[in-house]
Amino acid sequence: MKHHQPIQRSERTTTREIALFIFVLLVMSILYGTPRLFSQGFSAAFLLETGVDCLMMTIACLPIWWLHFRKLVHLPMKTRFALHILTAFLYYGIWAGLYYLYNPMVGLPTMNRNQFFQNIGPNLLFYIQVFSSLHIDLFFREREAQQLREQELRELAFKGEINALKAQIQPHFLFNTLNSISASLPGEQEHSRVLIARLADTFRYALQSTQQDLVPLSQELDFMHTYLSLEQGRFGKRLAFSIEGTEGTAEILIPPMLLQPFVENAIKHGIEPSIEGGSVIISCIRESKKVGIYIENTGSPYVGNPEDLFLGKGVGVKNTAKRLENQFAEKLQVSINDKGGLRIHFCIPG
């Protein structure tokens, strides 16, 4: 099922919305003020009346804009259009309320019943024109963002295919060589034989998984168990690990090799610098309609800002974060846990 994903808000987006709103406000003010300009002539009173009206409409529009373009932007477009029926009258109520406060302050009579109903039409027309313009602009911005995401996915897929082709160069030669080394070891080198078998398993999974877009989470966790067992051969007692998944998470589909860069990063920053070593913990927890995946480590405390992981020379974490955002519109969250180690969290729909 394809889900509507709102575009990421930015200062540039807000500036564009403000500029569009001001443009529509000025155009509508000129159109509405033209009859009065010809009948009353250009004067300071005309400018004041027009300026006050623009200010009132702007203030009345702000909470409606916030509701539709910030608070409720995640709702389907049809639902938000239906809500405009209610918020249009909310807008007019705010506009009328402002004039009920303003008129007595400047010595003008308050709006009577006839004036109240006479102003509904022009104000609702203004409302429709303003928010239609903003929705059209939002549509094109979301379309541009979607095209950009698709382009980035195509580029990542192409790079993945190139990497897969490179990895598949003479795979049978690799496996046969590893098997030959394993078979040539004497019986007392059983530990080395096990490590070689696990190394072959990691290569086999890496090669096979590149031919699939998604794999069950259980397979990815099995791979991480093999990978961490290999790392235990390098670090010995300095590395401990645990992998846990709650009920209903095993069959969730995720992109292959998604967890490996994060686990490698945990070993690099937590286990390797520490004399005493530490632990790597992988937890998969069902969270409503998603599965939350947590990867954290103990050991050497992380020094610096966790966000620097996205700015360094390494590409593993940066590319995986971009992969998550493009494919699932999910943000990668990096923080420091209570042991001083890194804690990485993201969600997979399911």
Side-chain angles (χ1 to χ4, degrees), residues 298-333:
T298 61
S300 179
Y302 185 78
V303 179
N305 187 346
E307 295 298 325
D308 292 343
L309 290 173
F310 301 103
L311 305 175
K313 295 181 180 179
V315 298
V317 174
K318 289 190 291 187
N319 284 353
T320 308
K322 186 180 293 185
R323 193 177 176 191
L324 280 168
E325 186 169 357
N326 287 339
Q327 191 161 355
F328 299 110
E330 292 289 343
K331 282 286 189 182
L332 180 68
Q333 301 176 23

Side-chain angles (χ1 to χ4, degrees), residues 42-215:
F42 187 81
S43 64
F46 169 79
L47 282 178
L48 177 62
E49 184 179 352
T50 303
V52 169
D53 205 28
C54 287
L55 179 62
M56 298 300 185
M57 289 189 292
T58 300
I59 295 173
C61 278
L62 285 176
I64 313 303
W65 167 82
W66 181 81
L67 278 173
H68 282 276
F69 293 88
R70 290 297 182 271
K71 186 68 175 177
L72 306 178
V73 71
H74 62 281
L75 294 179
M77 188 65 73
K78 291 182 179 179
T79 304
R80 288 157 62 200
F81 279 163
L83 285 173
H84 273 296
I85 298 174
L86 298 175
T87 54
F89 288 99
L90 174 61
Y91 156 79
Y92 186 66
I94 296 173
W95 180 87
L98 290 170
Y99 267 107
Y100 274 112
L101 295 174
Y102 172 78
N103 283 355
M105 292 172 58
V106 296
L108 295 174
T110 57
M111 197 183 310
N112 59 40
R113 180 180 296 182
N114 288 337
Q115 291 173 325
F116 179 84
F117 287 107
Q118 287 173 356
N119 282 299
I120 290 179
N123 271 277
L124 292 185
L125 181 59
F126 169 78
Y127 178 95
I128 292 171
Q129 290 163 328
V130 166
F131 286 101
S132 294
S133 300
L134 290 175
H135 276 295
I136 291 172
D137 177 66
L138 177 63
F139 169 79
F140 281 106
R141 283 189 282 115
E142 290 186 334
R143 185 180 178 185
E144 291 171 1
Q146 180 64 27
Q147 289 175 340
L148 180 60
R149 286 195 295 266
E150 291 173 355
Q151 177 65 25
E152 290 178 345
L153 278 175
R154 284 193 294 267
E155 291 176 358
L156 287 173
F158 176 74
K159 291 178 182 177
E161 290 175 3
I162 297 299
N163 291 334
L165 288 173
K166 291 178 180 178
Q168 289 175 11
I169 296 175
Q170 299 295 335
H172 294 293
F173 172 78
L174 173 64
F175 293 135
N176 290 337
T177 302
L178 289 174
N179 288 334
S180 298
I181 295 172
S182 178
S184 66
L185 292 174
E188 59 268 20
Q189 297 292 329
E190 181 62 24
H191 178 67
S192 298
R193 195 193 307 271
V194 169
L195 289 179
I196 292 173
R198 289 174 179 170
L199 179 61
D201 287 342
T202 59
F203 286 150
R204 186 175 292 107
Y205 177 81
L207 290 172
Q208 292 175 351
S209 65
T210 56
Q211 301 173 7
Q212 306 175 60
D213 294 328
L214 298 169
V215 298

Side-chain angles (χ1 to χ4, degrees), residues 205 212-225 243-260 262-263 282-287 290-295 324 328 346-350:
Y205 177 81
Q212 306 175 60
D213 294 328
L214 298 169
V215 298
L217 178 58
S218 57
Q219 287 187 19
E220 188 77 357
L221 294 180
D222 288 342
F223 169 68
M224 294 319 306
H225 188 280
I243 301 174
E244 300 177 355
T246 59
E247 185 177 355
T249 61
E251 299 306 316
I252 295 299
L253 297 178
I254 70 170
M257 304 293 290
L258 187 70
L259 307 183
Q260 192 274 338
F262 302 132
V263 174
I282 303 175
S283 306
C284 307
I285 303 171
R286 168 67 68 178
E287 298 175 353
K290 298 181 180 181
V291 172
I293 298 179
Y294 300 81
I295 301 170
L324 280 168
F328 299 110
F346 60 90
C347 291
I348 295 293

Side-chain angles (χ1 to χ4, degrees), residues 262 265-267 269-271 278-281 295-300 302 337 339-343:
F262 302 132
N265 191 75
I267 292 174
H269 291 286
I271 310 303
S279 301
V280 176
I281 304 100
I295 301 170
E296 54 186 311
N297 65 270
T298 61
S300 179
Y302 185 78
N337 61 28
K339 302 292 185 181
L342 284 172
R343 183 174 189 264

